[in-house]
Amino acid sequence: MRIFHRARHRPSATWRQTTDRAFTLIGDGRYEDAGALLVMAADLEPWLSDSWFNLALLHKFRRDWEQARSAGLRAVALLDREHGAPDWWNLGITATALQDWPLARRAWQAYGLKLPGGPGGQPDGPVSLDLGTTPVRLSPDGESEVVWGRRLDPARIEVLSIPLPSSGRRWGEVVLHDGAPHGERVTDGVAYPVFDEIELWAPSPVPTYVVLLQAATAGDRDALERLVADAGYAAEDWTSSVRLLCRACSESRMASDDGIAAHHDPHDDGDAAHPGHLSHLSQGGAAGMSWLVERECGIAAPAHLVRVLLDRWVAAAPATRAYRDLEEVC
């Protein structure tokens, strides 16, 4: 096999040792030291696409998108296969981060994805695909949280759940995510891959509020969620929808808790003495389980509207509904 009229050889032992050492340093978070070694590896084997792919990965880890694009372009120029190379996928993520839509389209198509409109369709606008919903792990290096979102393209997810304030994320935000799944969530027998957030791509102007509801029945709770959704925003009963998991469990194959069936979850790290998102006992509607009248609820809505919506909800059934301790948290 020849590239640019030069014979392609197996990388040298020195290249392999240098690269292995660099990735050990990357695992330890020592990006500067790793970068020096990967530059050395690229000098040793400049005609090897892996040399530049590894540099592009490092720059992605550092969020240095301009350098990642430069190294990624050199990597794909040296590829010896047409479709499916991870070099193209990595370049697609980089181009999306930079909003370089012509390059993003080129990368996804070269990887093997079919985009609407063909190669010449709206090259300067964002890539827009209907890829369904999937879970995404927000702030994976901090107070991580797995929420559900809508995939806008192969590298972006719009957050549909209301994240807890500890994640630093809001409903409606768009996050850039990595391509390799990191765990699964199973819902109705279907497994969905969990993708890790890389960084915030588009912030949301809609704040997050937490409120304690007095909801006599699940129907009362559901009425609030419908009312807020009809206004174009979101409410979520954190008492039933949120579980605390250890890292090992979160990154494995886990069944989703829909908040309907009551169950004791042995993987949940919550405290049974505290209801809501600190509980390992899902308070659903199963027979024999008492309904918790007090519910911790997250609401994503503008400041001028959130109390109006809550007051409307109470006014519709004041005998069974009330709220207190409304607070903006993110």
Side-chain angles (χ1 to χ4, degrees), residues 2-3 11 17 19 59 73-74 100 113 127 162 164 173 179 187 199 210 214 220 230 234-235 261 269 290 293 304:
R2 293 182 178 273
I3 301 175
Q17 291 166 1
T19 301
H59 294 313
L73 286 169
R74 296 191 71 167
D100 184 345
L113 300 181
V127 175
I162 302 178
L164 296 175
E173 289 187 326
T187 299
E199 67 180 13
V210 62
Q214 298 292 319
D220 288 312
D230 289 344
D269 281 357
S290 60
V293 173
H304 70 276

Side-chain angles (χ1 to χ4, degrees), residues 48-135:
L48 187 64
S49 63
D50 287 353
S51 295
W52 304 104
F53 173 69
N54 292 336
L55 270 172
L57 275 181
L58 173 67
H59 294 313
K60 182 182 75 171
F61 296 151
R62 298 172 63 187
R63 314 300 188 254
D64 187 343
W65 298 115
E66 292 289 351
Q67 291 291 336
R69 177 168 56 185
S70 177
L73 286 169
R74 296 191 71 167
V76 297
L78 295 167
L79 285 175
D80 58 0
R81 57 173 163 154
E82 242 179 83
H83 297 299
D87 309 66
W88 283 114
W89 190 277
N90 201 56
L91 187 58
I93 293 174
T94 297
T96 302
L98 293 168
Q99 299 187 43
D100 184 345
W101 300 120
L103 180 58
R105 280 182 168 75
R106 177 187 166 203
W108 301 134
Q109 288 170 332
Y111 183 80
L113 300 181
K114 294 188 180 300
L115 302 184
Q122 297 183 336
D124 296 326
V127 175
S128 181
L129 298 172
D130 183 10
L131 299 178
T133 59
T134 196

Side-chain angles (χ1 to χ4, degrees), residues 209 233 301-309:
Y209 290 84
Y233 299 98
H304 70 276
L305 188 59
V306 62
R307 195 175 293 274
V308 171
L309 292 171

